[in-house]
Amino acid sequence: MNPDEIPNHRTRVAAERREKTRARLLESALHVFSRKGPQAVIDDVIAQAGMARGSFYNYFRTNEELLAALASELNNELIRAIDPLVLGLDDPAERVARGARMQLHAITQFPYLGAFISRLPFPTANSSLLGLRFLTRDIAHGIAAQRFRQIQPRVAIDLVAGVVLSAAYALACEPLAADYPEQSVCQMLQGLGVDGAEAQRIVALPLPELSLPDSAILLRVGADSA
């Protein structure tokens, strides 16, 4: 190795080690928060991660900061996987429906996600898990294209956000019919001005498989518990 490259190599190694440690803390936090909710204490997370208290404070100052970071990371994992599958559609109504359905089905597809959401107070904490800013993009497109009719943009955003958040919380907290996401999204589309028969057609369209990378927290936690 060129001597000039040694500092850069050390910097990269240190950054990779730091990122792995942070990921381990978030993974441990998902374990703990899924069981105990936001009232879990830092000591629970430290014990789950098997690291010293000082190591924790190198990454997070408070329990609330850790919870916010975990919710953000889970949201990013889902959005990175779902949004490319949504962007493959031209119809904004189909985009909104696919994004909402895939997010809702993820609640039952990944048990730790459902367990985590069920422990959070509704609706403030889990709102950061569902990538609503991406849905608003497609709502704006639908209104501009007159796919969604007789509805103001702010009302449309509130309608979609309310349905997705409430349905996600319901799926996380109680056993529901397998087609509950489709029923919810069908009614949501009609609220946006889509004809009933057309809304039913859209929610009956097959969904692509939701695939997360091996590095995703939701997969690592599931593998650790297997």
Side-chain angles (χ1 to χ4, degrees):
M1 180 179 294
N2 188 314
D4 293 336
E5 295 177 351
I6 292 177
N8 289 334
H9 173 71
R10 289 174 176 169
T11 299
R12 287 196 301 272
V13 170
E16 289 171 0
R17 184 182 300 114
R18 180 175 176 82
E19 183 58 31
K20 287 180 181 179
T21 302
R22 182 179 185 275
R24 180 59 182 168
L25 280 170
L26 292 176
E27 182 180 337
S28 300
L30 182 55
H31 273 285
V32 172
F33 287 133
S34 295
R35 295 195 310 268
K36 298 187 176 183
Q39 67 272 18
V41 297
I42 290 173
D43 284 342
D44 296 323
V45 177
I46 292 171
Q48 178 71 38
M51 62 178 59
R53 174 178 285 272
S55 297
F56 176 91
Y57 287 110
N58 286 331
Y59 297 87
F60 305 104
R61 292 171 296 178
T62 65
N63 203 44
E64 291 73 21
E65 188 176 294
L66 173 62
L67 180 64
L70 175 59
S72 177
E73 185 65 25
L74 294 176
N75 173 68
N76 290 338
E77 287 183 356
L78 291 175
I79 290 303
R80 283 193 294 264
I82 292 174
D83 202 50
L85 302 175
V86 168
L87 289 174
L89 299 171
D90 293 327
D91 179 10
E94 292 183 10
R95 280 189 177 191
V96 170
R98 176 177 284 186
R101 288 171 65 203
M102 293 191 74
Q103 290 179 71
L104 293 177
H105 280 291
I107 304 299
T108 51
Q109 181 178 349
F110 302 105
Y112 269 94
L113 177 61
F116 179 50
I117 288 177
S118 71
R119 294 285 188 174
L120 300 178
F122 177 80
T124 53
N126 60 325
S127 64
S128 61
L129 291 171
L130 296 168
L132 295 176
R133 66 185 183 277
F134 291 90
L135 288 174
T136 60
R137 173 199 63 202
D138 298 322
I139 290 169
H141 180 195
I143 292 174
Q146 297 188 337
R147 190 68 165 104
F148 306 140
R149 299 180 182 275
Q150 298 179 341
I151 189 167
Q152 296 177 6
R154 180 69 245 183
V155 174
I157 292 169
D158 289 342
L159 173 63
V160 173
V163 170
V164 174
L165 294 177
S166 181
Y169 197 74
L171 283 164
C173 294
E174 58 185 289
L176 295 167
D179 67 343
Y180 177 79
E182 282 64 45
Q183 294 180 36
S184 297
V185 174
C186 184
Q187 294 300 317
M188 181 187 76
L189 288 173
Q190 292 179 70
L192 292 171
V194 178
D195 175 77
E198 173 67 355
Q200 291 178 6
R201 180 194 70 81
I202 291 173
V203 299
L205 293 173
L207 289 177
E209 180 181 359
L210 176 58
S211 178
L212 299 180
D214 292 340
S215 60
I217 293 175
L218 288 169
L219 293 186
R220 295 203 311 268
V221 170
D224 289 347
S225 304

